[in-house]
């Protein structure tokens, strides 16, 4: 969507939405042959379609994850591209889980979230880990982002 100036190495799949418009974790087995075909045709790794982030369905997603999606249609496939709020929350979480030198932190800095956006993301990220030092880590990352705007 142009939020970050670099090209991605994979496509993160968060959910599948059926006719009832209810999102659920994706089941990619039915499309596995097409995933492999795209990988072969474009000379990219077979794991280019990443469903790891979909595990967040079990742990909880940021509020209203589909609210600011931009929907595009490719043939018979509708794709919802994540909006700023969801990306900021997921990138903040990933930065806290990795490091301030990770690609996730670079992406978070490129998103240049304002204080309100960081506060909203912080509220969700704090609920993702009950560890004793988690809040300190989250607040340190937020301070890093604020200092590097």
């Amino acid at each position: 969507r142009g939020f970050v100036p670099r090209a991605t190495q994979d496509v993160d799949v968060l959910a599948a939405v059926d006719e009832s418009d209810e999102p659920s974790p994706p089941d990619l087995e039915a499309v596995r042959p097409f995933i492999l075909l795209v990988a072969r045709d474009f000379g990219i790794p077979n794991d280019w379609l990443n469903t790891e982030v979909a595990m967040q369905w079990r742990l909880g997603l940021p509020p209203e994850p589909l609210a600011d999606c931009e929907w595009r249609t490719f043939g018979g496939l509708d794709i919802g591209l994540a909006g700023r709020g969801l990306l900021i929350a997921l990138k903040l979480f990933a930065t806290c889980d990795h490091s301030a030198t990770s690609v996730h932190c670079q992406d978070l800095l490129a998103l240049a979230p304002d204080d309100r956006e960081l506060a909203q993301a912080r509220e969700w990220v704090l609920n993702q880990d009950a560890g004793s030092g988690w809040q300190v880590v989250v607040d340190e990352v937020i301070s890093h982002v604020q200092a590097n705007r």
Side-chain angles (χ1 to χ4, degrees):
R1 292 191 52 189
F3 293 131
V4 177
R6 70 173 181 83
T8 187
Q9 299 300 308
D10 62 5
V11 175
D12 293 331
V13 177
L14 184 61
V17 179
D18 62 21
E19 295 79 28
S20 68
D21 287 334
E22 288 298 319
S24 62
D27 177 10
L28 297 181
E29 287 313 306
V31 295
R32 178 84 38 218
F34 302 106
I35 293 169
L36 298 175
L37 183 66
V38 168
R40 185 200 70 199
D41 288 355
F42 288 94
I44 57 178
N46 290 341
D47 63 351
W48 67 270
L49 196 61
N50 180 8
T51 60
E52 190 174 310
V53 73
M55 291 174 48
Q56 278 302 130
W57 280 101
R58 292 185 193 107
L59 302 173
L61 291 168
E64 302 182 42
L66 302 179
D68 62 348
C69 282
E70 177 183 317
W71 290 92
R72 296 185 186 171
T73 300
F74 299 92
L77 181 63
D78 293 326
I79 303 288
L81 303 175
R84 276 183 60 81
L86 180 57
L87 287 174
I88 290 168
L90 292 173
K91 289 298 181 178
L92 176 60
F93 182 34
T95 299
C96 293
D97 212 28
H98 290 91
S99 76
T101 59
S102 70
V103 68
H104 303 294
C105 187
Q106 294 170 23
D107 291 346
L108 183 58
L109 290 169
L111 285 162
D114 62 30
D115 289 342
R116 181 189 57 77
E117 290 171 318
L118 285 170
Q120 288 173 337
R122 178 185 184 272
E123 184 176 329
W124 173 73
V125 171
L126 285 176
N127 291 318
Q128 300 309 301
D129 191 322
S132 61
W134 185 243
Q135 181 175 340
V136 172
V137 170
V138 174
D139 290 340
E140 285 175 353
V141 169
I142 289 174
S143 293
H144 176 75
V145 171
Q146 290 170 325
N148 288 284
R149 284 188 195 150

